[in-house]
Amino acid sequence: MKILYRQNYLDQIEKYLGKDYIIVLVGQRRVGKSCTLNMIRNIKEKDASNNIIYIDKEKEQFDSIKTYQDLNEYIKSKYVQGKMNYILVDEIQDIDGFERTVRSFATETDAEVIITGSNAKMLSGDLSTLIGGRYKEIHILPLSYQEFLQFHQLTDSDDSLAKYLQFGGLPGLVKIGLDEDDAREYQKDIYNTVLLKDVILRNNIRNVVFLENLTRFLADNIGKLISANSVAKYMKSQGQSITSTTIIEYIKYLAEAYIVHKVNRYDIHGKKLFESNDKFYFEDHGLRNALVGGSREGDIEKIIENIVYSHLIRMGYEVTVGQLQAGEIDFVCSKKGGSRLYVQASYIIANEQTRKREFGNLESIKDNYPKFVISMTPLVRRNDENGITHLSLRTFLLSEEL
């Protein structure tokens, strides 16, 4: 099968090569980190002055590499003096003490280190302490809508968008196809693998039934304000008595495995973050859909909101939920340097009541930052109303910036 290159990520990696950075590709399993690493491998091995040292911890042939000492020995056995050695390690978090090896080889003038990991904790604690600011994290996300079209050889249309809304962006679906039953079976297998390897085993979870129920609860409530107390009350109504502390810990584990993204609330007028009641979105909305089952007709608003959030992250924004005295702004989006914009996500602006809800909250913000409403309202492509830009979801998803 033809390899489809995700050029955006390759460009980001190339940008930091040769600048004494350790490059760390992060994200949920099966979103394309391994393929991106393989693309770099394919590109670099074409140059005879390069030496590729490649380790994939999900392959049986590398099972013997369990500690940093094992990793050191393997790399040394493959190292070639006089060449640029590209040390590529996939799922490095499965190697105990790997940060010692990373720090050591990253100081060599004839080495470049690129690693991948499926757990956010790998960039905390010892690794951050040992390598300081000498690493660049690149978050590999599921396929964008534009990549989805490319991977599945589709043209941009309402039907293609409907498929993206339904199936999401796991790259492996290109092999499985977009048959409902086959796709859902594949997605559930991926979910079970991620939950087992990156949450249950990594964190020694004992109450697996509660973890699964909690994940389904978050999946069914994406885009809603959630607190540990509200989850505890719901679980109690379902016959499970769980402390708020345990709920907070389990949600943290899910976020560390990139299954869900926790989004804080931001007081727009007070210009400060709230410390409770957050929103949650899934790394891949297709996996979320497989988890909750059923059709998308009843929760299309949730899916649109999840997709808009993911694309804003893909555009490089830091995203929070905006809180106003009179209501809420779906997304407050910021970049380094102080730029900001506000975004409301909606299904269809079909009447004046909906228009007032979506546009009215934005109109109440008295600053000059750009404001957007993104919806699937028919015939809308890009309209401006009182300084607020109304974009169709398809137009937004095909854009690289706002």
Side-chain angles (χ1 to χ4, degrees):
M1 186 177 68
K2 181 181 177 181
I3 295 176
L4 297 172
Y5 283 74
R6 302 178 75 181
Q7 195 61 45
N8 175 50
Y9 295 122
L10 298 178
D11 290 344
Q12 290 184 57
I13 292 169
E14 287 289 351
K15 177 181 175 181
Y16 296 115
L17 288 175
K19 297 180 180 179
D20 296 326
Y21 284 120
I22 298 162
I23 299 173
V24 188
L25 310 182
V26 299
Q28 181 189 290
R29 287 182 193 260
R30 300 296 184 268
V31 296
K33 301 188 306 298
S34 300
C35 287
T36 302
L37 198 65
N38 261 310
M39 289 174 192
I40 288 293
R41 176 186 185 180
N42 293 340
I43 292 169
K44 297 303 177 183
E45 67 184 4
K46 292 177 182 178
D47 187 339
S49 65
N50 296 331
N51 176 50
I52 310 298
I53 303 171
Y54 185 83
I55 298 166
D56 182 354
K57 277 299 293 172
E58 292 203 315
K59 296 289 180 61
E60 182 181 356
Q61 69 189 87
F62 298 107
D63 279 351
S64 60
I65 303 177
K66 300 181 183 300
T67 68
Y68 75 93
Q69 293 99 329
D70 301 330
L71 184 58
N72 285 342
E73 289 305 313
Y74 183 86
I75 293 173
K76 288 177 182 176
S77 71
K78 302 293 184 180
Y79 212 87
V80 177
Q81 299 295 333
K83 290 191 174 186
M84 177 56 70
N85 293 271
Y86 284 86
I87 301 169
L88 314 178
V89 187
D90 201 7
E91 300 297 353
I92 199 170
Q93 77 276 351
D94 294 333
I95 301 173
D96 290 336
F98 71 86
E99 60 274 359
R100 299 190 183 193
T101 300
V102 167
R103 179 188 64 172
S104 176
F105 284 99
T107 61
E108 300 295 333
T109 58
D110 59 349
E112 294 280 2
V113 178
I114 308 174
I115 61 178
T116 82
S118 300
N119 194 284
K121 193 184 293 184
M122 66 177 284
L123 289 181
S124 64
D126 291 342
L127 180 58
S128 294
T129 301
L130 284 169
I131 66 179
R134 293 187 296 111
Y135 71 87
K136 286 295 179 182
E137 176 183 325
I138 298 174
H139 189 175
I140 308 295
L141 288 159
L143 301 179
S144 67
Y145 174 56
Q146 195 163 19
E147 290 173 326
F148 178 85
L149 296 177
Q150 179 188 9
F151 271 55
H152 293 282
Q153 298 182 337
L154 299 171
T155 57
D156 175 35
S157 67
D158 287 343
D159 183 62
S160 295
L161 179 59
K163 287 182 170 65
Y164 185 62
L165 288 168
Q166 178 77 351
F167 295 108
L170 291 181
L173 284 175
V174 72
K175 297 179 182 178
I176 305 300
L178 299 181
D179 173 79
E180 178 76 20
D181 292 337
D182 293 342
R184 290 297 178 240
E185 182 179 357
Y186 171 77
Q187 288 165 327
K188 288 178 180 178
D189 286 343
I190 296 301
Y191 165 73
N192 290 329
T193 298
V194 173
L195 203 68
L196 177 64
K197 289 187 175 182
D198 295 325
V199 182
I200 295 171
L201 296 179
R202 179 163 295 280
N203 299 289
N204 298 313
I205 299 293
R206 295 183 179 181
N207 196 342
V208 175
V209 173
F210 168 68
L211 175 67
E212 292 175 339
N213 289 338
L214 173 63
T215 312
R216 289 192 184 93
F217 176 85
L218 295 176
D220 200 41
N221 289 276
I222 53 177
K224 293 184 178 180
L225 292 175
I226 293 174
S227 69
N229 287 335
S230 67
V231 177
K233 289 179 181 178
Y234 172 79
M235 292 301 175
K236 188 174 182 180
S237 74
Q238 301 299 304
Q240 287 185 299
S241 182
I242 304 292
T243 66
S244 295
T245 301
T246 300
I247 291 168
I248 291 170
E249 287 182 351
Y250 280 24
I251 288 177
K252 182 184 73 171
Y253 299 151
L254 291 170
E256 287 174 345
Y258 297 97
I259 296 174
V260 299
H261 291 226
K262 174 183 171 183
V263 184
N264 300 113
R265 286 188 303 150
Y266 176 77
D267 183 347
I268 292 174
H269 294 313
K271 299 182 179 180
K272 63 180 181 180
L273 288 174
F274 289 99
E275 295 182 357
S276 62
N277 290 351
D278 307 300
K279 287 190 177 185
F280 295 87
Y281 299 97
F282 271 63
E283 176 104 330
D284 179 65
H285 63 274
L287 190 149
R288 176 265 172 195
N289 293 343
L291 191 58
V292 299
S295 69
R296 304 284 60 81
E297 294 177 4
D299 57 8
I300 187 67
E301 294 263 7
K302 299 176 184 178
I303 301 304
I304 290 173
E305 198 168 318
N306 203 131
I307 288 173
V308 170
Y309 166 79
S310 296
H311 199 61
L312 289 168
I313 295 296
R314 194 174 284 111
M315 287 176 165
Y317 289 102
E318 292 184 9
V319 179
T320 56
V321 175
Q323 189 67 50
L324 297 165
Q325 289 182 348
E328 183 181 281
I329 303 298
D330 288 333
F331 303 119
V332 180
C333 313
S334 304
K335 284 188 177 181
K336 292 180 180 179
S339 65
R340 178 187 298 177
L341 54 86
Y342 304 101
V343 174
Q344 289 283 73
S346 182
Y347 177 30
I348 293 177
I349 312 295
N351 52 49
E352 186 60 21
Q353 181 181 359
T354 306
R355 197 209 71 80
K356 285 183 178 179
R357 184 183 70 232
E358 303 299 350
F359 284 79
N361 287 344
L362 291 171
E363 289 170 352
S364 68
I365 304 173
K366 304 304 181 184
D367 63 33
N368 295 319
Y369 291 114
K371 302 171 180 66
F372 295 87
V373 172
I374 297 167
S375 79
M376 291 182 67
T377 305
L379 303 181
V380 168
R381 292 297 177 264
R382 185 182 186 109
N383 295 334
D384 292 309
E385 182 177 335
N386 295 328
I388 298 170
T389 302
H390 188 185
L391 280 178
S392 74
L393 181 61
R394 278 170 56 192
T395 299
F396 168 71
L397 293 176
L398 292 171
S399 304
E400 295 183 2
E401 59 182 24
L402 285 172

